[in-house]
C-alpha cells in the first residue's frame, strides 16, 4: 500500500472518518443531533462526508444501508477481493515440543508477510504457544466488543483419551490455529487491531500480557453491571431471528457431531476386528492346498477393506469433525456478541426511561443518552455485517466439507468393491 492504512472504524450512521468507536475511550467531541426514542432504536442521521475509501483504495458509499447485505457489500470485505489486493498473509506451522522443569508445551511458528505501513518490516517470524493465542482472542473481545471474534480450538482434552502431544493432535490444533489467524487477517476491522499487530511481531509477548490487566478487570465489571438489573423489553425482530437461528444451528450441529463421533468409534472397532479376521483366511489357505487361492483372495480383499476404512476414518477425524466443532464454537461466540448488544440496548432503554420520568422540557436528549444510542447503532451495524460474513464463510466451508466427504465415501466404496 502506498499510504499508511488506518484501522476501519466500526460501521455506523456517521462519517467513517469522523466517528470514533462508541465503545472505545470516550472523547469530548460533540455528539450528533437530538434523539427521540424509536421502537427499533435505529434513528437515521444525515452524513456529510461522501468521499471515503478503504485502506486498499476501494471507494465506500456512505449512504444509509438498506439492509445487512447492502452494508456488507459496501464494506467490500476481503473475501470478495482478488488475492493480489491483499496486503497481509499469516501462516502457522513448524510445531515444536518444549520440555521444561515445571511444564511441557508446544509452540508454533507464526510467519507474517505484509506491505502495510503499520508494520516496520515486511516479514516476521515468531513462536507462540496456545495460551498466547488465547491472550490474543481475549484482547480482541475486549477492544472490539461489537465484532464476532473467531473461536479457538478447545484447550483441554479428556485425559487418557487423546494425547495432546501426539503428532495427530498437534497437527489438528496447528490447522485450527492457522485458520483462527487467517479469519482475523481476512476481517476488515480485526486485522488492523493493535493487539493483533503485537501478537504477530513481538519477540517477547509476556511484557504485553502484563499490561492493562487491572484496567481490563474494571472494564469487565462496568460492562457487567451497566444495566443495573434493567431487563430488555424485546429484541428487534431481525436480532431475535438471529438468536433463534443460532439456537437451532447449535442443536442440529451438536447432534451431527455426536453421531459422527459414534460412527468413527464404531468404524475403528470394526477395523480392529477386520484386521484380526483377514489373517485367519491366510492361515487356512496354508492348510488347504486346494482352497489356498480363493482363501488368499479373501484375505487380500479384507486387507484392502482395512486400508480403505482406515483412510476414511482418518479423513472424518482430521477434516470433518474439526469443522463441526469450530462452527459449534462459532455459534456460541455469536450468541455472546448478541448478549452484549442486548446489554447496550437495555442500558439505552433504561436511560430513556430515566429521562422521561424527569419530565423536563429540554431541547436535546442528554449527551450520555446519545452516546448510548450510538452504541446500539454501532452494535447493530457491526453484528449484521459480521453475521453476513459468517454465513458466507459457513456456506463455503460446508459446501467444500460435504462435497469432500462425499468424494471420500465414493472412493472408499470404489476401493472395497474392486473385484
Amino acid at each position: 500500500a502506498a499510504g499508511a492504512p488506518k484501522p476501519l472504524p466500526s460501521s455506523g450512521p456517521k462519517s467513517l472518518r469522523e466517528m470514533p468507536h462508541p465503545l472505545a475511550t470516550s472523547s469530548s467531541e460533540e455528539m450528533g443531533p437530538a434523539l427521540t426514542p424509536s421502537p427499533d432504536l435505529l434513528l437515521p442521521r444525515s452524513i456529510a462526508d461522501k468521499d471515503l475509501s478503504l485502506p486498499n483504495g476501494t471507494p465506500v458509499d456512505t449512504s444509509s444501508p438498506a439492509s445487512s447485505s447492502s452494508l456488507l457489500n459496501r464494506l467490500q470485505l476481503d473475501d470478495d477481493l482478488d488475492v493480489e489486493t491483499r496486503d497481509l498473509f499469516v501462516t502457522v506451522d513448524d510445531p515444536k515440543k518444549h520440555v521444561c522443569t515445571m511444564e511441557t508445551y508446544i509452540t508454533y511458528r507464526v510467519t507474517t508477510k505484509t506491505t502495510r505501513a503499520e508494520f516496520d518490516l515486511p516479514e516476521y517470524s515468531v513462536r507462540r504457544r496456545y495460551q498466547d493465542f488465547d491472550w490474543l482472542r481475549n484482547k480482541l473481545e475486549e477492544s472490539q466488543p461489537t465484532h464476532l471474534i473467531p473461536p479457538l480450538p478447545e484447550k483441554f482434552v479428556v485425559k487418557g483419551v487423546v494425547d495432546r502431544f501426539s503428532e495427530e493432535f498437534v497437527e489438528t490444533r496447528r490447522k485450527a490455529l492457522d485458520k483462527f489467524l487467517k479469519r482475523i487477517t481476512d476481517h476488515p476491522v480485526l486485522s488492523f487491531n493493535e493487539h493483533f499487530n503485537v501478537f504477530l511481531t513481538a519477540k517477547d509477548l509476556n511484557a504485553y500480557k502484563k499490561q492493562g490487566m487491572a484496567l481490563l478487570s474494571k472494564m469487565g465489571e462496568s460492562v457487567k453491571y451497566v444495566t443495573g438489573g434493567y431487563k430488555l423489553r424485546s429484541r428487534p425482530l431481525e436480532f431475535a431471528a438471529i438468536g433463534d437461528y443460532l439456537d437451532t444451528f447449535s442443536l442440529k450441529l451438536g447432534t451431527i457431531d455426536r453421531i459422527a463421533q459414534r460412527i468413527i468409534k464404531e468404524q475403528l472397532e470394526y477395523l480392529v476386528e477386520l484386521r484380526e479376521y483377514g489373517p485367519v483366511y491366510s492361515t487356512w489357505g496354508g492348510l488347504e492346498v486346494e482352497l489356498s487361492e480363493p482363501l488368499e483372495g479373501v484375505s487380500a480383499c479384507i486387507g484392502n477393506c482395512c486400508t480403505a476404512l482406515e483412510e476414511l476414518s482418518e479423513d472424518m477425524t482430521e477434516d470433518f469433525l474439526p469443522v463441526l466443532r469450530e462452527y459449534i464454537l462459532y455459534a456460541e461466540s455469536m450468541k455472546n456478541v448478541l448478549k452484549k448488544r442486548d446489554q447496550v440496548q437495555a442500558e439505552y432503554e433504561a436511560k430513556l426511561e430515566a429521562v422521561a420520568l424527569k419530565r423536563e422540557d429540554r431541547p436535546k436528549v442528554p449527551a450520555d443518552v446519545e452516546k448510548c444510542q450510538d452504541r446500539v447503532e454501532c452494535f447493530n451495524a457491526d453484528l449484521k455485517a459480521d453475521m453476513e460474513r459468517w454465513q458466507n464463510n459457513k456456506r463455503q466451508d460446508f459446501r467444500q466439507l460435504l462435497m469432500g466427504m462425499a468424494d471420500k465415501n465414493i472412493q472408499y466404496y470404489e476401493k472395497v468393491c474392486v473385484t
Side-chain angles (χ1 to χ4, degrees):
K6 301 296 182 182
L8 283 178
S10 297
S11 51
K14 288 187 176 182
S15 164
L16 295 180
R17 282 179 178 166
E18 297 175 350
M19 181 180 177
H21 199 293
L23 295 186
T25 305
S26 59
S27 66
S28 59
E29 293 183 9
E30 189 68 17
M31 302 304 291
L35 306 180
T36 55
S38 62
D40 58 1
L41 302 178
L42 291 174
L43 306 182
R45 299 183 180 182
S46 62
I47 301 174
D49 192 350
K50 300 290 184 181
D51 300 322
L52 301 181
S53 62
L54 296 179
N56 58 22
T58 306
V60 179
D61 179 10
T62 58
S63 59
S64 201
S67 67
S68 59
S69 297
S70 62
L71 174 64
L72 184 79
N73 293 335
R74 205 165 291 171
L75 286 175
Q76 293 290 314
L77 297 184
D78 287 349
D79 282 344
D80 301 325
L81 300 177
D82 295 331
V83 175
E84 289 77 8
T85 65
R86 299 189 181 186
D87 52 9
L88 182 62
F89 299 87
V90 180
T91 58
V92 178
D93 59 9
D94 189 28
K96 287 185 178 180
K97 184 177 181 180
H98 300 261
V99 181
C100 302
T101 305
M102 301 298 295
E103 62 176 339
T104 301
Y105 59 94
I106 303 293
T107 64
Y108 304 84
R109 180 175 62 188
V110 178
T111 304
T112 304
K113 295 182 180 181
T114 183
T115 57
R116 291 186 180 181
E118 291 92 345
F119 295 85
D120 297 329
L121 301 173
E123 185 170 347
Y124 295 87
S125 180
V126 295
R127 299 204 69 85
R128 298 286 184 252
R129 55 187 298 185
Y130 180 90
Q131 66 181 29
D132 298 331
F133 288 85
D134 190 47
W135 172 85
L136 170 63
R137 191 178 188 282
N138 290 335
K139 282 297 184 180
L140 291 176
E141 280 194 330
E142 170 198 343
S143 56
Q144 305 285 350
T146 65
H147 285 287
L148 172 63
I149 311 301
L152 281 171
E154 297 96 334
K155 180 176 182 179
F156 299 105
V157 296
V158 180
K159 187 175 182 181
V161 177
V162 177
D163 178 9
R164 66 189 183 96
F165 297 114
S166 68
E167 184 177 344
E168 295 79 8
F169 178 81
V170 170
E171 176 60 17
T172 299
R173 172 163 285 185
R174 183 203 65 78
K175 291 179 180 178
L177 295 176
D178 183 74
K179 182 177 288 186
F180 169 72
L181 292 187
K182 281 181 168 55
R183 294 202 187 281
I184 298 174
T185 301
D186 290 341
H187 197 283
V189 176
L190 300 181
S191 64
F192 287 94
N193 186 277
E194 61 178 338
H195 302 297
F196 186 46
N197 185 306
V198 168
F199 176 87
L200 297 178
T201 61
K203 289 296 183 182
D204 181 13
L205 199 59
N206 290 327
Y208 291 93
K209 288 183 177 181
K210 297 176 183 178
Q211 296 177 0
M213 293 303 294
L215 177 61
L216 174 59
S217 177
K218 292 180 181 178
M219 289 180 61
E221 291 298 314
S222 64
V223 171
K224 183 177 180 181
Y225 298 105
V226 72
T227 60
Y230 182 89
K231 187 176 181 180
L232 180 68
R233 284 196 292 265
S234 63
R235 281 176 177 169
L237 291 179
E238 58 185 326
F239 296 110
I242 290 176
D244 292 341
Y245 171 80
L246 292 173
D247 289 338
T248 303
F249 178 77
S250 298
L251 179 64
K252 299 299 183 183
L253 213 59
T255 301
I256 294 174
D257 180 56
R258 289 192 297 274
I259 294 174
Q261 291 189 57
R262 188 166 70 243
I263 290 174
I264 293 174
K265 180 176 180 291
E266 292 174 354
Q267 285 179 340
L268 294 177
E269 291 174 350
Y270 174 55
L271 183 60
V272 171
E273 295 183 354
L274 204 59
R275 284 172 174 163
E276 297 176 354
Y277 188 47
V280 173
Y281 285 93
S282 295
T283 305
W284 186 7
L287 300 175
E288 300 279 355
V289 179
E290 296 82 0
L291 297 175
S292 62
E293 184 176 350
L295 290 174
E296 287 295 338
V298 172
S299 178
C301 181
I302 293 175
N304 187 38
C305 290
C306 288
T307 302
L309 183 59
E310 183 178 15
E311 291 175 356
L312 181 63
S313 299
E314 288 179 354
D315 289 332
M316 288 193 67
T317 302
E318 298 175 4
D319 299 329
F320 190 75
L321 289 182
V323 175
L324 294 183
R325 290 168 182 165
E326 179 195 13
Y327 272 93
I328 290 174
L329 295 174
Y330 238 135
E332 292 304 314
S333 297
M334 180 63 81
K335 289 179 185 179
N336 290 334
V337 179
L338 199 58
K339 289 179 182 178
K340 293 177 185 178
R341 194 216 73 86
D342 290 346
Q343 287 180 335
V344 176
Q345 180 182 336
E347 180 188 10
Y348 176 52
E349 291 177 354
K351 289 182 180 294
L352 285 178
E353 289 188 0
V355 171
L357 289 175
K358 291 182 179 180
R359 298 182 179 179
E360 297 179 3
D361 295 330
R362 301 189 179 194
K364 291 181 62 177
V365 175
D368 62 329
V369 180
E370 293 182 352
K371 289 181 179 180
C372 193
Q373 195 266 351
D374 280 343
R375 293 176 183 174
V376 176
E377 292 181 353
C378 187
F379 251 113
N380 290 345
D382 288 350
L383 183 56
K384 286 189 289 186
D386 279 0
M387 181 65 180
E388 184 74 15
R389 182 183 186 83
W390 179 72
Q391 289 281 23
N392 289 337
N393 288 338
K394 177 172 66 67
R395 283 191 290 269
Q396 294 174 12
D397 289 345
F398 275 94
R399 183 185 297 113
Q400 180 180 359
L401 175 70
L402 296 175
M403 291 181 66
M405 288 309 301
D407 289 340
K408 296 295 184 182
N409 277 273
I410 292 173
Q411 294 170 13
Y412 166 74
Y413 285 106
E414 287 177 343
K415 291 176 181 177
V416 299
C417 292
V418 172
T419 57

